């Protein structure tokens, strides 16, 4: 059972992951996904790109430098480029949603990010993602200033 928001988050994560992997702007990948979904006869496996997926990707892009700086600053023992690509992008998405998306309770954002990490990354990733996002939750008032 996964909600529309859960699917939207997973798609946003997949878009950020693909952009990072290909070394292109996430908005380029988002545009590609939207175009494919709108073709007269999209492929069977072509995911639909909903409004919330677009909001998440565009929101991350808007704050990308700040988000990457935060992750780099607080991810003890990890540089952004040494992190597994899945972890890096689930953290980017979770950080954006946690700090700048007020329509979702913080605990839900953290839980959803942990679930994505469980599905797409290493056994150690859920605890890592949970710890870092929990720290950002504590620091949220000062981060947003």
């Amino acid at each position: 059972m996964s909600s529309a928001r859960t699917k939207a988050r997973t798609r946003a994560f997949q878009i950020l992951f693909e952009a990072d992997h290909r070394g292109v702007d996430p908005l380029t990948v988002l545009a590609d996904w939207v175009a494919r979904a709108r073709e007269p006869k999209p492929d069977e496996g072509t995911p639909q790109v909903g409004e919330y997926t677009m909001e998440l990707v565009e929101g991350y892009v808007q704050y990308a430098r700040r988000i990457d700086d935060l992750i780099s600053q607080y991810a003890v023992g990890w540089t952004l480029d040494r992190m597994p690509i899945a972890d890096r992008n689930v953290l980017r998405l979770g950080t954006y949603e946690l700090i700048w998306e007020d329509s979702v309770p913080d605990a839900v954002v953290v839980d959803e990010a942990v679930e994505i990490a469980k599905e797409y990354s290493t056994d150690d990733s859920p605890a890592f993602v949970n710890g870092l996002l929990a720290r950002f939750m504590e620091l949220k008032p000062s981060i947003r200033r």
Side-chain angles (χ1 to χ4, degrees):
M1 179 202 104
S2 76
S3 72
R5 284 240 162 147
T6 299
K7 285 183 181 138
R9 269 183 206 97
T10 301
R11 293 212 172 97
F13 161 75
Q14 290 167 331
I15 288 168
L16 294 184
F17 183 100
E18 181 180 330
D20 193 358
H21 185 70
R22 289 174 45 201
V24 298
D25 181 64
L27 296 178
T28 303
V29 177
L30 177 61
D32 291 347
W33 279 47
V34 169
R36 277 198 315 247
R38 292 191 176 146
E39 285 173 0
K41 290 185 178 175
D43 291 338
E44 191 72 30
T46 302
Q48 294 300 307
V49 179
E51 195 63 41
Y52 198 60
T53 298
M54 289 188 248
E55 279 178 44
L56 290 172
V57 173
E58 290 165 356
Y60 162 71
V61 169
Q62 181 180 351
Y63 295 102
R65 181 170 284 128
R66 177 84 174 107
I67 289 168
D68 284 359
D69 286 349
L70 285 167
I71 295 168
S72 297
Q73 183 180 350
Y74 290 98
V76 180
W78 286 96
T79 57
L80 207 56
D81 58 340
R82 274 194 56 242
M83 238 174 244
I85 189 170
D87 292 9
R88 184 167 58 230
N89 287 289
V90 76
L91 284 167
R92 285 171 168 165
L93 184 63
T95 302
Y96 164 71
E97 197 174 16
L98 188 64
I99 306 298
W100 289 281
E101 192 55 60
D102 291 326
S103 66
V104 183
D106 292 351
V108 172
V109 173
V110 174
D111 287 348
E112 294 269 333
V114 168
E115 287 305 312
I116 292 172
K118 279 181 188 169
E119 187 168 343
Y120 292 95
S121 200
T122 69
D123 289 345
D124 297 331
S125 297
F128 176 64
V129 166
N130 187 60
L132 198 52
L133 292 179
R135 183 83 176 108
F136 292 160
M137 209 160 64
E138 292 168 18
L139 298 167
K140 186 174 177 173
S142 61
I143 291 172
R144 280 183 66 162
R145 264 190 235 119

